[in-house]
Amino acid sequence: MSAPATEPAKAKFERTGKAFIKAENLVKKFPVRGGMLNRVINNVHAVTDVSFTIAQGETLGVVGESGCGKSTLGKMVIRLLEPTSGKVFLDGKEITGLDHQQMMSVRRRMQIIFQDPYSSLNPRLTVRSLLKEAIAFHGIVDSANMESYIDELIATVGMRPESKDKFPHEFSGGQRQRLGIARALALKPEFIVADEPVSALDVSIQAQVLNLMKDLKEQFGLTMMFISHDLKVVEHFCDQVMVMYLGRVMEKIPSDKLRDACEHPYTRALLGSNPIDDPDERRPLTVLQGDVPSPLNPPPGCPFAGRCPEVMDRCRVEMPPLEFRVNGQAVACWARM
């Protein structure tokens, strides 16, 4: 059992540099309506009491099974979705209270790369029109420099100049994702949410897109939130990892400590379910028993209790707090207190 962190250790984990993105106690509930009067009869608990910081220039990886609230969290951070409660800060300024007009100056600083590049690109517009629309709206460059700027964007993501006169359906999945990256970069953002940007691509293309994103992150000094269900990708791409389950944070850990120092049973189960790189290495794959609880009626206590091999009576009635470690790690597990 690891020793709890002191307050300075907690501060070290939360602020490894200038805190560019900060989330405090974010909650998102989606109302469920029914009955003759279409009243709210229940809520889907998508995200519950999530807090984190991302230092300037860092990448935070958010992982977990499908439906754990990863994408909802990312969209709340850039205010594509409004949180039910909680706060988001960009470079020290709270943005959750800003109205539509006030958000306009913030929008260009925060962009998103979607999971499905085809559905996120307007099929009726050429690449030139797609990029020009966003660039002109935010006044990134004047009309005299528009064409050269578009050419530069297309070259930056590794595509040919003639690509700008084609429509999205004329490209492969990997090329469309490159266009999605170009559109995100068009506004010269400082922060990007990458929402499972390679999960819809062939494995042979995934590495190319990931390497491109890594190069662009370093070239432009981007701060990123990288959402994925693949721990191997997150381990390679990110500085910090946050593991979610049923809308809650189970563990936070530096990515270079993920494989050897993770403590939460759920994190270890995710690692154990990954395919083995070396065929000569023999170990049994981890298969979790039971089903994920319904977000309509989340259980009391730890949401992982019904599937956890180390469950205790306390786990079923009381949610453990995130306990910080001296190594820059935080774990929400009564068995690790």
Side-chain angles (χ1 to χ4, degrees), residues 300-303 305 310-320 334-335:
C302 177
E310 302 178 40
V311 64
M312 303 183 296
D313 290 341
R314 189 178 187 183
C315 303
R316 302 185 190 279
V317 295
E318 187 178 355
M319 178 64 197
W334 289 123

Side-chain angles (χ1 to χ4, degrees), residues 64-65 229-232 259 265-277 283-288 307:
E65 294 172 279
H229 61 271
D230 191 331
L231 278 173
K232 289 186 177 180
R259 194 162 297 276
Y266 179 59
T267 309
R268 295 206 306 272
L270 288 179
L271 283 169
S273 65
N274 275 339
I276 300 169
D277 293 328
R283 64 168 171 80
L285 291 176
T286 301
V287 179
L288 288 172
R307 306 173 75 192

Side-chain angles (χ1 to χ4, degrees), residues 13 59-63 231 234-235 238-243 251-255 258:
F13 179 86
T59 299
L60 172 69
V62 183
V63 297
L231 278 173
V234 167
E235 188 179 18
C238 303
D239 300 295
Q240 306 282 347
V241 179
M242 186 166 74
V243 181
E251 186 164 9
K252 299 176 183 177
I253 187 169
S255 60
L258 177 63

Side-chain angles (χ1 to χ4, degrees), residues 44 61 83 89 100 116 127 136 183 214 233 245 265 272-273 282 293 298 328:
V44 174
F89 297 83
H100 177 74
D116 184 352
V127 172
R183 186 176 61 179
K214 196 165 188 176
V233 170
Y245 186 82
S273 65
R282 300 298 181 195

